[in-house]
């Protein structure tokens, strides 16, 4: 170190400082040159300066960053949200599932958790089999994300016993399934009669028998019908944001994907769409969004309208329950609430009808719009004529079976009308007798 001036013995002096034999040494003098000479003499007397020797520092172990399950979960969730790979509803449901069933037990654990710990977690988890199955899928996807980002080397869920889960719809007994399908067909027949109080919804629920999802049904527009080749394009879903309705382009799938399908339809389905189009003189225009961005100069007109607004999911589920109440009252003469059938059952009815017709699985998947990627290869070689022939057979079989129920439905509705008329006569007589007594 070079000489420097400092206060020493109450006066400013030159100082030389160095390290030797593991200790710091100092010499002072009023003259800089003499200070340097004193340092050299002192060094020669003590020996070699240790500071000249290279100092070997012990390597400091680098700690591997710890990534907890909680950290990786939210990193993945935010990444999916930024890339528009997850809808707002799915985001909320996934976060709620994590907070309720995973965070209290695994959040502080390292992402490199072992399969033994996961097996214990699933064995002790108190929830439904359906939830356990969803949690397993969520954790599996989480660990796949961790592998992709280099946090872990293998997925521990691959060595975990996957929670057993029986889909309730698939597990239905044959008799129960047949009864549900028979009920659905009976309801469609009831709606076809003009004296039915819910007759105005006949076209809507008739189109559901094509195997449409509820979101696809309310997302149909007047532009969905292709008049020339009598086909229906299913490509939009109705959405609501800040009180305003719009159409999301694409059906089922990730927000960044676009899925649509075209279904050849028979004459009665085509007429149902035309009737709905002609029913509303003032069409409701809706903007169209693709990947959360509004498409410029792109508007379509809602097919189903109520009170000058698009017929939304809340309207659909409400009216579907009221229709089932009415069918239950007319057919069973019972005013108690029935066990409600989900709207999705129409989709199963369509799939069953196609299976009973002996249709090729590829055609059935194309009509129903299943999103399984492994089935995509089958769609490429389907011809329009094959699907058109299927559509005609489907309509004939579906509507023929409904027609066979007409007599029972008609009789029940006639009886209901007669009972209402008798009730009215009794009430009028009672009112007349009361008036005479007062006179």
């Amino acid at each position: 170190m070079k000489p420097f001036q400092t206060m020493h013995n109450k006066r400013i002096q030159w100082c030389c400082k160095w390290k030797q034999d593991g200790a710091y040494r100092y010499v002072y003098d009023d003259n800089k040159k003499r200070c340097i000479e004193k340092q050299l003499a002192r060094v020669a007397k003590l020996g070699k300066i240790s500071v000249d020797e290279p100092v070997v520092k012990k390597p400091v172990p680098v700690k591997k960053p710890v990534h907890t399950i909680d950290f990786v979960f939210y990193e993945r969730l935010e990444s999916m949200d930024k890339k528009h790979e997850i809808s707002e509803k799915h985001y909320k449901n996934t976060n709620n599932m994590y907070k309720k069933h995973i965070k209290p037990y695994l959040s502080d654990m390292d992402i490199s958790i072992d399969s033994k710990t996961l097996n214990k977690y699933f064995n002790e988890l108190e929830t439904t089999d359906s939830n356990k199955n969803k949690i397993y899928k969520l954790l599996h996807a989480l660990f796949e994300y961790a592998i992709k980002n280099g946090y872990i080397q293998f997925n521990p869920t691959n060595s975990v016993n996957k929670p057993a889960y029986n889909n309730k719809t698939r597990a239905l007994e044959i008799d129960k399934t047949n009864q549900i399908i028979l009920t659905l067909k009976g309801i469609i027949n009831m709606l076809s009669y003009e004296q039915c109080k819910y007759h105005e919804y006949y076209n809507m629920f008739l189109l559901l028998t094509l195997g449409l999802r509820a979101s696809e049904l309310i997302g149909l527009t007047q532009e969905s019908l292709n008049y020339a080749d009598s086909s229906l394009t299913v490509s939009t879903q109705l959405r609501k944001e800040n009180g305003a309705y719009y159409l999301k382009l694409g059906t089922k799938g990730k927000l960044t994907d676009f899925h649509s399908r075209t279904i050849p339809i028979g004459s009665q389905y085509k007429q149902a769409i035309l009737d709905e189009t002609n029913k509303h003189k003032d069409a409701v225009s809706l903007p169209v969004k693709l990947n959360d961005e509004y498409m410029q100069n792109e508007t379509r007109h809602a097919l189903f309208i109520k009170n000058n607004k698009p017929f939304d999911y809340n309207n659909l589920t409400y009216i579907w329950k009221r229709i089932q109440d009415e069918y239950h009252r007319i057919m069973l003469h019972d005013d108690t609430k029935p066990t409600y059938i989900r709207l999705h059952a129409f989709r199963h009815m369509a799939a069953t009808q196609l299976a009973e017709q002996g249709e090729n699985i590829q055609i059935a998947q194309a009509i129903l719009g299943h999103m399984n990627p492994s089935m995509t290869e089958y769609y490429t070689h389907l011809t329009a004529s094959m699907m058109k022939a299927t559509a005609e057979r489907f309509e004939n079989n579906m509507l023929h079976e409904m027609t066979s129920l007409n007599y029972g439905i008609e009789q029940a509705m006639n009886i209901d009308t007669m009972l209402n008329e008798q009730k009215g006569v009794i009430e009028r007589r009672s009112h007349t007798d009361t008036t005479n007594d007062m006179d």
Side-chain angles (χ1 to χ4, degrees):
M1 183 180 291
K2 293 181 179 181
F4 59 93
Q5 288 184 311
T6 184
M7 184 67 70
H8 181 67
N9 290 338
K10 298 182 181 181
R11 68 181 187 273
I12 296 176
Q13 290 185 305
W14 288 95
C15 175
C16 288
K17 176 184 176 183
W18 74 97
K19 191 175 183 180
Q20 191 172 2
D21 296 336
Y24 284 103
R25 313 290 178 174
Y26 302 88
V27 291
Y28 298 91
D29 198 282
D30 294 329
N31 185 277
K32 180 179 179 181
K33 186 177 180 181
R34 286 199 304 268
C35 186
I36 294 173
E37 290 174 351
K38 282 184 179 181
Q39 181 195 21
L40 294 176
R42 185 82 176 270
V43 169
K45 183 178 179 180
L46 295 175
K48 191 176 181 181
I49 302 177
S50 59
V51 75
D52 293 337
E53 299 176 0
V55 179
V56 180
K57 295 183 179 180
K58 293 182 180 180
V60 179
V62 179
K63 290 185 178 181
K64 183 181 178 182
V66 176
H67 294 102
T68 62
I69 289 177
D70 194 68
F71 170 82
V72 178
F73 170 80
Y74 284 108
E75 183 184 71
R76 173 177 176 266
L77 196 63
E78 294 305 317
S79 174
M80 293 173 68
D81 187 41
K82 287 180 180 179
K83 295 178 182 178
H84 303 291
E85 293 178 347
I86 187 170
S87 66
E88 183 179 347
K89 181 180 179 181
H90 190 195
Y91 183 102
K92 183 179 179 181
N93 291 342
T94 302
N95 197 21
N96 289 341
M97 175 71 73
Y98 174 77
K99 285 182 177 179
K100 185 175 182 180
H101 298 294
I102 301 177
K103 190 177 179 71
Y105 312 101
L106 304 176
S107 63
D108 295 332
M109 292 190 179
D110 191 272
I111 194 66
S112 58
I113 186 173
D114 59 90
S115 55
K116 184 178 179 180
T117 305
L118 280 180
N119 266 321
K120 183 180 179 182
Y121 160 72
F122 278 110
N123 291 334
E124 295 177 355
L125 187 62
E126 295 182 359
T127 186
T128 63
D129 290 341
S130 174
N131 276 342
K132 283 186 177 181
N133 192 265
K134 291 176 182 177
I135 293 166
Y136 176 88
K137 290 179 179 179
L138 176 58
L139 286 174
H140 181 83
L142 184 65
F143 292 126
E144 285 297 316
Y145 172 85
I147 292 174
K148 183 179 178 181
N149 286 272
Y151 300 152
I152 55 177
Q153 299 298 320
F154 69 95
N155 193 325
T157 56
N158 292 336
S159 303
V160 171
N161 298 323
K162 187 175 181 180
Y165 169 61
N166 294 321
N167 187 295
K168 291 183 179 180
T169 305
R170 294 176 184 173
L172 285 175
E173 298 177 358
I174 294 176
D175 290 343
K176 190 172 182 180
T177 303
N178 289 339
Q179 183 57 47
I180 289 175
I181 292 175
L182 192 64
T183 300
L184 293 177
K185 291 180 177 180
I187 288 174
I188 297 297
N189 267 284
M190 178 191 74
L191 294 175
S192 68
Y193 285 90
E194 292 185 3
Q195 61 263 45
C196 175
K197 64 188 293 187
Y198 297 107
H199 174 68
E200 62 180 299
Y201 302 106
Y202 169 67
N203 293 329
M204 178 182 292
F205 287 94
L206 177 65
L207 290 172
L208 262 184
T209 64
L210 286 170
L212 301 179
R213 299 177 179 91
S215 61
E216 295 171 345
L217 176 73
I218 58 177
L220 290 178
T221 64
Q222 296 180 11
E223 293 80 6
S224 298
L225 177 62
N226 305 311
Y227 294 89
D229 59 357
S230 297
S231 62
L232 181 69
T233 299
V234 184
S235 62
T236 52
Q237 300 178 67
L238 184 67
R239 290 284 187 267
K240 189 176 183 180
E241 185 177 50
N242 299 325
Y245 291 99
Y246 68 93
L247 292 170
K248 172 188 170 294
L249 204 58
T251 56
K252 190 175 181 181
K254 293 181 179 179
L255 293 182
T256 51
D257 295 338
F258 174 77
H259 296 289
S260 67
R261 66 185 187 278
T262 299
I263 309 171
I265 56 176
S267 58
Q268 293 193 48
Y269 290 109
K270 181 179 179 180
Q271 189 58 48
I273 297 173
L274 291 174
D275 289 345
E276 284 298 316
T277 302
N278 296 329
K279 187 188 297 184
H280 308 288
K281 295 180 180 179
D282 299 325
V284 176
S285 298
L286 297 171
V288 181
K289 265 188 177 184
L290 177 61
N291 298 339
D292 285 343
E293 295 291 336
Y294 283 106
M295 299 178 66
Q296 293 184 355
N297 303 321
E298 180 71 24
T299 57
R300 302 186 186 181
H301 304 89
L303 183 63
F304 300 110
I305 301 171
K306 186 176 180 66
N307 299 329
N308 295 322
K309 294 181 180 180
F311 200 89
D312 61 21
Y313 187 76
N314 289 336
N315 297 140
L316 184 62
T317 53
Y318 173 81
I319 205 65
W320 174 231
K321 287 184 178 180
R322 302 293 77 77
I323 288 172
Q324 291 183 77
D325 290 338
E326 181 71 1
Y327 182 79
H328 192 68
R329 184 185 67 81
I330 289 176
M331 295 305 294
L332 301 179
H333 306 292
D334 188 350
D335 290 331
T336 61
K337 289 187 176 182
T339 301
Y340 293 118
I341 302 172
R342 296 187 310 148
L343 284 165
H344 201 72
F346 278 100
R347 195 161 163 78
H348 290 281
M349 179 176 73
T352 302
Q353 184 69 61
L354 289 167
E356 288 178 351
Q357 289 177 196
E359 298 299 343
N360 188 296
I361 185 64
Q362 303 111 334
I363 295 178
Q365 295 243 339
I367 290 175
L368 296 172
H370 287 159
M371 306 313 298
N372 190 337
S374 64
M375 299 307 298
T376 305
E377 60 184 292
Y378 294 112
Y379 301 160
T380 55
H381 60 267
L382 297 180
T383 64
S385 59
M386 289 171 64
M387 293 187 68
K388 183 67 176 177
T390 298
E392 292 173 353
R393 289 196 300 273
F394 179 85
E395 181 180 73
N396 290 337
N397 291 335
M398 178 74 78
L399 300 182
H400 173 73
E401 290 189 14
M402 291 183 185
T403 304
S404 65
L405 299 172
N406 280 356
Y407 180 74
I409 300 285
E410 187 174 6
Q411 288 291 96
M413 294 195 70
N414 288 338
I415 292 173
D416 186 63
T417 302
M418 183 180 67
L419 291 174
N420 287 333
E421 290 176 351
Q422 290 178 354
K423 184 178 179 181
V425 171
I426 293 173
E427 288 176 350
R428 287 194 296 273
R429 287 179 178 175
S430 176
H431 177 72
T432 301
D433 294 341
T434 304
T435 305
N436 293 335
D437 291 341
M438 292 176 65
D439 293 340

